[in-house]
C-alpha cells in the first residue's frame, strides 16, 4: 500500500529564465493555480495524504503557498469574496505537506535520497513537481494499482517521437498487455540511433524502498549527477520494474511550449473562461493565417 508521496521541486528552472530567477518554476501559473498545486492535487486524488516536497534555495514561495495567509483571508472575508476565501483556505488542508532541502543540485537521484528519513522502509510515489498530467484516472493512482498487483517499482511511460528520445530516460522491455511492460533495461538520454525504444519515462513513479541503497552507492552518471534512472536500471535487470504506457496527456512545464499548451488546454476546459478563450484563439489564428 502506498501511503506517501515525494515531489522533487529543487531544480533551477533555467529554461524559463529570466522568469524563474526569483520565481520557482513549480510556481508558474497554469490558468489560476501554480503547477505544483496540480501535482499535489493528483497525489491527493490518488489517495495519498502524506506528501514531502524537496526544495532548495529560492523555493520559499512553495512553502508559503501551502501555508495559511490569515491577513489575506481577513480581507477576502471582509469584502464578501467567499469563493476566493474558500479556495485559498482549502490549499492549506489538501494534505499533510512536509518540506526537506536538497542542499546541492546533484540530480534527481540525490533529491530522492533526501526523502529517505521521511519515507522509511516502504514503497512511495514520486511525482515530478514541474510535470502536469491530464488523465481520466489520476496517473499516480494507476501506478499504485499496478504496484498493488505486482509489487516492485512502477514507471509511467509515454511514447515520444524518435528524434526527441535524447531528452528522456528510455526503456527496453516486453509488453505484457494493455500498456503494461516488464522493463529489462533503461538508458538515460540516449542518442536517437541507439535508443532501445521510443517509450520515455514520464515523470511519475512508484519507488521500491531498496532504491535508496542503490542510490547511496551509485557514482555520478549523466551530467555528473546521481540519476534515478541508473537505480531503476539495476532494479530492472533483477526483474523488479514494470512500466505503464498511460492514456492521457503530459505537459513538461519546464519548457515554454508545454507551459503554453497546458494553459490553453486547461483554459479551454475552464467553465469561467473557456468559451471566451476559444473565441479569442479563433480570432488570433484567423488574423495570423488570413482565414
Amino acid at each position: 500500500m502506498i501511503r506517501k508521496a515525494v515531489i522533487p521541486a529543487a531544480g533551477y528552472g533555467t529554461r524559463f529564465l529570466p522568469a524563474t530567477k526569483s520565481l520557482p518554476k513549480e510556481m508558474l501559473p497554469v490558468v489560476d493555480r501554480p503547477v505544483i498545486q496540480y501535482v499535489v492535487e493528483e497525489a491527493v486524488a490518488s489517495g495519498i495524504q502524506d506528501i514531502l516536497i524537496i526544495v532548495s534555495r529560492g523555493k520559499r514561495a512553495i512553502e508559503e503557498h501551502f501555508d495559511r495567509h490569515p491577513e489575506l483571508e481577513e480581507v477576502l472575508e471582509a469584502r464578501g469574496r467567499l469563493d476566493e476565501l474558500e479556495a485559498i483556505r482549502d490549499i492549506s488542508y489538501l494534505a499533510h505537506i512536509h518540506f526537506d532541502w536538497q542542499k546541492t543540485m546533484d540530480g534527481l537521484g540525490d533529491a530522492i535520497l533526501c526523502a529517505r528519513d521521511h519515507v522509511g522502509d516502504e514503497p512511495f510515489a514520486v511525482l515530478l513537481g514541474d510535470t502536469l498530467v491530464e488523465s481520466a484516472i489520476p496517473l499516480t493512482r494507476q501506478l499504485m494499482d499496478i504496484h498493488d498487483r505486482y509489487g516492485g517499482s512502477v514507471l509511467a511511460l509515454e511514447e515520444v517521437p524518435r528524434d526527441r528520445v535524447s531528452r528522456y530516460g528510455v526503456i527496453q522491455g516486453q509488453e505484457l498487455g494493455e500498456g503494461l511492460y516488464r522493463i529489462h533495461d533503461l538508458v538515460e538520454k540516449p542518442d536517437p540511433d541507439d535508443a532501445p525504444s521510443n517509450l520515455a519515462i514520464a515523470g511519475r513513479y512508484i519507488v521500491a524502498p531498496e532504491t535508496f541503497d542503490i542510490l547511496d552507492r551509485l557514482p555520478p552518471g549523466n551530467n555528473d549527477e546521481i540519476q534515478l534512472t541508473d537505480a531503476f536500471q539495476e532494479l530492472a535487470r533483477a526483474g523488479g520494474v514494470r512500466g505503464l504506457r498511460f492514456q492521457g496527456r503530459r505537459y513538461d512545464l519546464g519548457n515554454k511550449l508545454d507551459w503554453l499548451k497546458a494553459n490553453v488546454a486547461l483554459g479551454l476546459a475552464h467553465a469561467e473562461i473557456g468559451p471566451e478563450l476559444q473565441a479569442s484563439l479563433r480570432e488570433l489564428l484567423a488574423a495570423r493565417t488570413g482565414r
Side-chain angles (χ1 to χ4, degrees):
M1 178 178 172
I2 305 299
R3 300 187 309 116
K4 298 178 181 179
V6 175
I7 301 177
Y12 292 119
T14 53
R15 288 181 290 176
F16 257 102
L17 287 170
T20 49
K21 181 176 181 289
S22 59
L23 177 72
K25 64 178 177 178
E26 297 83 6
M27 289 298 295
L28 289 168
V30 175
V31 187
D32 55 2
R33 285 176 281 174
V35 174
I36 197 162
Q37 184 175 331
Y38 288 95
V39 178
V40 168
E41 288 170 349
E42 180 188 328
V44 171
S46 300
I48 296 173
Q49 281 290 314
D50 188 324
I51 298 171
L52 176 67
I53 301 178
I54 307 298
V55 294
S56 61
R57 178 182 174 84
K59 303 279 186 161
R60 187 69 70 182
I62 297 175
E63 297 185 56
E64 292 181 355
H65 180 71
F66 291 103
D67 198 2
R68 291 282 303 272
H69 195 323
E71 296 83 4
L72 177 58
E73 291 175 20
E74 288 178 9
V75 169
L76 292 173
E77 188 167 16
R79 295 178 180 177
R81 298 176 64 174
L82 302 184
D83 289 343
E84 291 97 330
L85 175 62
E86 182 180 8
I88 67 163
R89 278 183 174 167
D90 287 349
I91 294 168
S92 304
Y93 299 104
L94 281 170
H96 301 294
I97 299 177
H98 316 270
F99 296 88
D100 200 355
W101 290 73
Q102 185 180 16
K103 296 176 176 60
T104 57
M105 299 297 99
D106 289 332
L108 179 57
D110 179 69
I112 298 304
L113 272 173
C114 295
R116 189 172 201 168
D117 288 343
H118 183 84
V119 169
D121 190 27
E122 60 182 275
F124 59 100
V126 171
L127 302 85
L128 297 191
D130 60 359
T131 299
L132 189 155
V133 179
E134 286 187 291
S135 55
I137 299 171
L139 179 51
T140 299
R141 179 72 256 175
Q142 296 179 50
L143 302 184
M144 291 166 62
D145 290 343
I146 292 171
H147 172 81
D148 289 345
R149 286 161 56 194
Y150 299 104
S153 294
V154 187
L155 316 182
L157 304 176
E158 177 185 32
E159 288 190 70
V160 299
R162 176 68 66 165
D163 61 1
R164 293 174 58 192
V165 294
S166 59
R167 305 179 188 183
Y168 304 99
V170 176
I171 71 127
Q172 177 185 21
Q174 173 190 3
E175 186 169 10
L176 305 175
E178 298 182 350
L180 181 64
Y181 288 77
R182 184 185 300 279
I183 297 175
H184 300 143
D185 202 359
L186 302 98
V187 183
E188 180 68 21
K189 298 181 178 178
D191 184 281
D193 293 335
D194 300 326
S197 75
N198 68 333
L199 288 172
I201 304 170
R204 297 292 187 268
Y205 320 79
I206 301 299
V207 181
E210 55 265 31
T211 309
F212 287 126
D213 290 334
I214 299 173
L215 289 170
D216 210 24
R217 57 177 168 76
L218 273 180
N222 192 276
N223 293 331
D224 202 32
E225 296 176 338
I226 304 300
Q227 297 290 347
L228 183 59
T229 301
D230 292 343
F232 285 138
Q233 182 181 60
E234 186 169 326
L235 290 168
R237 290 172 178 172
V241 183
R242 287 174 174 80
L244 175 68
R245 188 182 71 246
F246 71 96
Q247 299 296 316
R249 184 180 293 274
R250 181 182 68 90
Y251 301 98
D252 175 4
L253 281 303
N255 76 75
K256 301 177 185 71
L257 181 58
D258 267 22
W259 177 74
L260 289 168
K261 287 179 179 179
N263 271 282
V264 170
L266 273 69
L268 289 171
H270 195 284
E272 180 183 345
I273 65 171
E276 188 173 347
L277 175 60
Q278 186 174 32
S280 296
L281 289 172
R282 285 176 175 158
E283 290 175 9
L284 286 169
L285 287 171
R288 291 276 183 178
T289 61
R291 289 183 290 178

